[in-house]
Amino acid sequence: MPAEPSQAAGRVTISEVAAEAGVGRATAARTLGGYGHVSPELRQRVLAAAEKLGYRANALARSMSTGVSHTIGVIVADIGNPFFAGLVGGVCDASRARGFDTIVLSTYEDLDEEVAATNVLIDKRVDGMIIASAAVSGREVGHVKEALKRGVPVVLVDRAIPALDLDAVVIDNRDAAREAVERLIAAGHRRIGFVWGPSMTQPPATRRELLAAAARNLWTDGERLRGYLDALDDARIPFDPELVMVGRKVEERATEEVARMLALPNRITALFCTETEAMTGALRALRAARLSYPRDVSLIGFDDSAWAAVMDPPLTMIEQPVHGLGAKAAEVLLDIVQGAEAGRETHTLRSRLIVRSSVGPPPGA
Amino acid sequence: MPAEPSQAAGRVTISEVAAEAGVGRATAARTLGGYGHVSPELRQRVLAAAEKLGYRANALARSMSTGVSHTIGVIVADIGNPFFAGLVGGVCDASRARGFDTIVLSTYEDLDEEVAATNVLIDKRVDGMIIASAAVSGREVGHVKEALKRGVPVVLVDRAIPALDLDAVVIDNRDAAREAVERLIAAGHRRIGFVWGPSMTQPPATRRELLAAAARNLWTDGERLRGYLDALDDARIPFDPELVMVGRKVEERATEEVARMLALPNRITALFCTETEAMTGALRALRAARLSYPRDVSLIGFDDSAWAAVMDPPLTMIEQPVHGLGAKAAEVLLDIVQGAEAGRETHTLRSRLIVRSSVGPPPGA
DNA sequence: CTGTTAGCGCGTTCAC
DNA sequence: GTGAACGCGCTAACAG
């Protein structure tokens, strides 16, 4: 098998195809690129030559001249977390359906990592990016503005950034939390613990202090906390700082804090958990205290899963449209990429309270 | 603000930086690209100009001339699945640490999608790819060979392909399954159900038929089944085709099949579940039959999670190093990308049986 | 050490 | 309809 040009690494170029077909590069490019007009005859010759040589377009080169990479980026806290995994799945599926591929970057809630991630995506000339940002204040959004300034469309997902007037795809965390806590209140509870939320080193002395802390933390955490307070307010239940968790958001800490709330003289009779590990941490504390739900304490948590449904008793949970969040974000982004005006609006998807059997009346009732 | 060249979309090129600094393109390229030698003086001038203009290298153009994209691809069944999410997290983290980014593609176990995915990655000129392939037979690996032929290194993860002599990063599924089933046997069980595995439409009449079906299905499923049989054989427990699940691998089906096994005259006293949803499906069947574990039936499952630990009683589970699988695969791949010889070996990571409280003696004992 | 020049592979005017 | 020639932004030989 002699003389075949660059058979080497199977890297066949359009010129080689043209040569094989006996036509000019442009003709080959036109038929292979699917643009312009080519006579049926030459067209066939080119196609045959491409087939024979095993030609595959070099997307990089194509991007070079067209300026579009058909690639988007998605930046989340942790792709290993089932919530973000589902969300990223939605992004990948929706973008793939429209001919785009997805680069995934995890930041582990580190703002510097997030900045680095946007730079990577800018450098790789993605056509747009989706960010579940850890940024909260107006000073932390420089990297997002930078991307925008460089012509890379951005849509926010899961977490809105009030300081930024951008398209965002979220659920109504505040309302979902309020509904859950209302449910607890309706069952007769007045001592309701809030597990997980804005991370604080000090217990908040006042409600104002709590909200201030929330403003320095993740948007979702703040919203869920506000929903909790909303429900309390509506029912005229005074806010008790002792009933909110303080410290790092890790399962162990949730266990400790719930244990503390359980040891209070006037102890909690219900718990609202804002995340999976807040719930599992709480469950550990209950077991350690030899308490059971919903008899001793009622439970509602965020992020439903197959496990929550098979717990005994099954857990009442808030289900988020994880896949939908990502898919919608991709749709909105690609609409912009493909010419639509950036809507700069907040798209709110519906969450759903799945009522099972972890809520009952408080012990005394 | 007049006359600034292509201030337009912030798309500053290296030539503009060179002009601003009053040096040749090459000098600018050398300092900005971090290669070759440049005098400290000019170096400073270039850096200042780049800073002033907000220069960012175009990774696409760079890839064009260097031939490396600093991007790898990872192909899995479903990024939304916590197992693959963790695995992909490992890939992303490990590759990012070495300056590479990751494109993620889900195939939903569809071989055509898998082929399409490899093509996408080839076209985008990734430097390598990691695949958890749905391919089993030698005829289904054309796309993998194609990638290899085109010079794109491939490493397999989670699932080996015996027909292919490639680097693979896996756990010893067979051994892990055997250990779990042995544990059940040691507790006195002889009627042990196998939930989830090679999907079959017909119940296997014989053991031979079962193994034949396994050969047409996912590698992991076959291995876990073999481990189950190994343990049975060692204990001289005859294989009973009625104790293996038949049908599609969905939670509902697991529930139905476990219900069936529970209704058998000589019913099961233990269950080995090979995946999360096989376990949750089984749990649903137990509840429906008003049976509890480990009193009525003992349980061991694959893929540990925070939920499994807070079940009551907590579940004995096999923990896979999900993040580690992905990270190791990325390491092996990047070693090859960066010049190492493809080892063509199977790297086996350790899984771990986490003993909790879902195994007890059989009811009669 | 520095600047000039030639590609990388493809899209795209512009004459033929 | 078709083909030659130029440009995308960068790296890498090659001279100076």
Side-chain angles (χ1 to χ4, degrees), chain B residues 21-43:
Chain B
V23 302
R25 323 167 182 288
T27 305
R30 275 191 277 263
T31 85
L32 264 12
Y35 59 92
H37 286 211
V38 179
S39 73
E41 239 187 273
L42 293 191
R43 183 180 175 68

Side-chain angles (χ1 to χ4, degrees), chain A residues 23-24 26-27 30 38-39 42 64-65:
Chain A
V23 302
T27 305
R30 275 191 277 264
V38 179
S39 74
L42 293 191
M64 272 290 1
S65 39

